[in-house]
Amino acid sequence: MKTSDFNFDLPEELIAQTPLQKRDASRLMLLDKTTGEVEHRHFYELPSFLCPGDCLVMNDSRVLPARLLGCRSTGGAVEVLLLRDHGDGLWECLTRPGRKTQPGTELSFGGGELTATVEALAEDGKRMVRFSWEGIFLEVLERLGRMPLPPYIKEELQDAERYQTVYSRVPGSAAAPTAGLHFTPELLGQIRAMGVKECFVTLHVGLGTFRPVKAEQLEQHEMHSEFCIIPEETARIVTETRRAGGRVIAVGTTSCRTLESFAQPDGTLQPASGWTNIFIYPGYRFKCVDALVTNFHLPESTLIMLVSALAGREHVLSAYRQAVENRYRFFSFGDAMFIH
């Protein structure tokens, strides 16, 4: 299967630059994965399409304010984006300007509250950077760091919490699990009151999420690895749901990939943690996930390939054409789709 099979025309003005005033006011497209039938609703109507005995599985990862602006020892400006924590103050990072952040370069942020040294070059132009600070690193980062918005968002974010889900609690992501941005505490309360269970996985989202597939053939593409956790309670709820005949509904592609990475052939789960680089594209047989809440994704991205695996490529591309015709908002701050 070719990467170009997942291309579609997207007018640039449909790429959402800012979140709506109310999270659950976004539009919701319903896509029947069997028939391809589409309905146009709003996200606050989601409970109408859920059933008692279903369970929602959400990614509780929290985005780090991982974009640091500082200076080099020469006085020149530097920008550092934290990607992966290797422990003991060592982080895998993207730096700009790259050619002026060679091994040995000293960096300073917040007037010296946080300092760093570039220790080594890493793959794909990344750097291994070791940081030094007093106190608690996450508290220093909260003071000095900025939210690392995706490259297609050009507007400054006025409220950093709008790039966090209301249930985020485990810091570690370089990007938000954006399907969850539509939920409010009130909507989740309404869903719980219906008898729909909720549970959480943790997958720390990396920047590979936004990277296009460069291989002509899908089979040649290698996914980036991300760390994920399935707690004991989640394994129990998902397993009970499947055995009772309820639907397992993943909120976001990250939750979906986590579940499918660790599910047994019968769709049940055991508590687990580890790295996953699972690549889900058409032809994949889902073991655990029955339905998916997701946003609208980039052309030729691994994410549109995943939703095409669940609902069929023709159904998905037809739905995307209707989304464009109906002026849906796309990507991180955009509208949502419920594939059922």
Side-chain angles (χ1 to χ4, degrees), residues 8-11 14 29 319-328 330:
F8 64 92
D9 292 324
L10 177 66
L14 296 186
M29 176 184 283
Y320 270 55
R321 283 193 291 272
Q322 293 182 60
V324 170
E325 289 167 6
N326 286 276
R327 311 295 290 176
Y328 274 70
F330 275 69

Side-chain angles (χ1 to χ4, degrees), residues 57-257:
V57 185
M58 297 171 277
N59 182 4
D60 62 7
S61 182
R62 187 167 174 81
V63 185
L64 290 170
R67 185 169 162 243
L68 290 165
L69 303 179
C71 60
R72 307 188 304 276
S73 54
T74 58
V78 68
E79 180 176 338
V80 174
L81 183 63
L82 308 180
L83 297 180
R84 183 181 295 178
D85 184 2
H86 287 254
D88 197 27
L90 185 65
W91 282 78
E92 186 177 324
C93 302
L94 285 174
T95 61
R96 192 163 58 180
R99 60 190 176 83
K100 294 188 177 180
T101 48
Q102 298 301 317
T105 304
E106 302 285 338
L107 310 174
S108 177
F109 309 92
E113 183 178 356
L114 179 66
T115 59
T117 303
V118 180
E119 289 201 346
L121 305 180
E123 61 179 11
D124 297 330
K126 291 178 280 204
R127 303 288 191 270
M128 300 305 295
V129 181
R130 192 173 300 278
F131 290 87
S132 299
W133 66 94
E134 294 288 336
I136 299 172
F137 182 70
L138 285 178
E139 292 181 358
V140 174
L141 204 57
E142 288 288 345
R143 286 194 295 274
L144 302 182
R146 298 187 182 185
M147 203 55 67
L149 294 176
Y152 47 74
I153 293 178
K154 311 301 182 188
E155 298 278 338
E156 281 292 327
L157 184 61
Q158 299 304 311
D159 177 6
E161 279 301 308
R162 290 307 306 274
Y163 195 56
Q164 306 279 14
T165 63
V166 296
Y167 48 76
S168 65
R169 56 189 174 192
V170 185
S173 279
T178 54
L181 295 179
H182 306 280
F183 287 93
T184 65
E186 295 76 18
L187 188 64
L188 287 169
Q190 185 181 345
I191 290 169
R192 280 193 296 271
M194 294 174 53
V196 175
K197 300 183 182 73
E198 64 177 39
C199 54
F200 299 92
V201 296
T202 303
L203 181 144
H204 292 317
V205 187
L207 282 192
T209 297
F210 304 109
R211 288 194 176 142
V213 178
K214 294 181 179 177
E216 287 188 17
Q217 300 291 328
L218 298 196
E219 297 79 3
Q220 299 169 345
H221 177 69
E222 287 189 20
M223 287 288 287
H224 55 287
S225 292
E226 294 164 312
F227 189 76
C228 48
I229 301 168
I230 297 178
E232 185 173 347
E233 183 183 22
T234 297
R236 177 182 58 78
I237 290 173
V238 168
T239 297
E240 288 175 355
T241 298
R242 290 197 61 81
R243 288 176 175 164
R247 294 179 300 174
V248 176
I249 302 168
V251 175
T253 56
T254 58
S255 298
C256 178
R257 291 179 64 236

Side-chain angles (χ1 to χ4, degrees), residues 242-309:
R242 290 197 61 81
R243 288 176 175 164
R247 294 179 300 174
V248 176
I249 302 168
V251 175
T253 56
T254 58
S255 298
C256 178
R257 291 179 64 236
T258 302
L259 292 170
E260 291 297 317
S261 294
F262 293 100
Q264 302 299 310
D266 64 356
T268 59
L269 286 177
Q270 296 290 328
S273 65
W275 294 90
T276 182
N277 64 349
I278 189 172
F279 182 17
I280 297 175
Y281 55 89
Y284 178 84
R285 296 185 63 134
F286 285 83
K287 304 188 290 287
C288 184
V289 173
D290 300 301
L292 177 68
V293 177
T294 187
N295 280 16
F296 290 89
H297 304 296
L298 286 162
E300 299 186 354
S301 65
T302 60
L303 306 181
I304 194 173
M305 294 167 189
L306 184 153
V307 297
S308 296

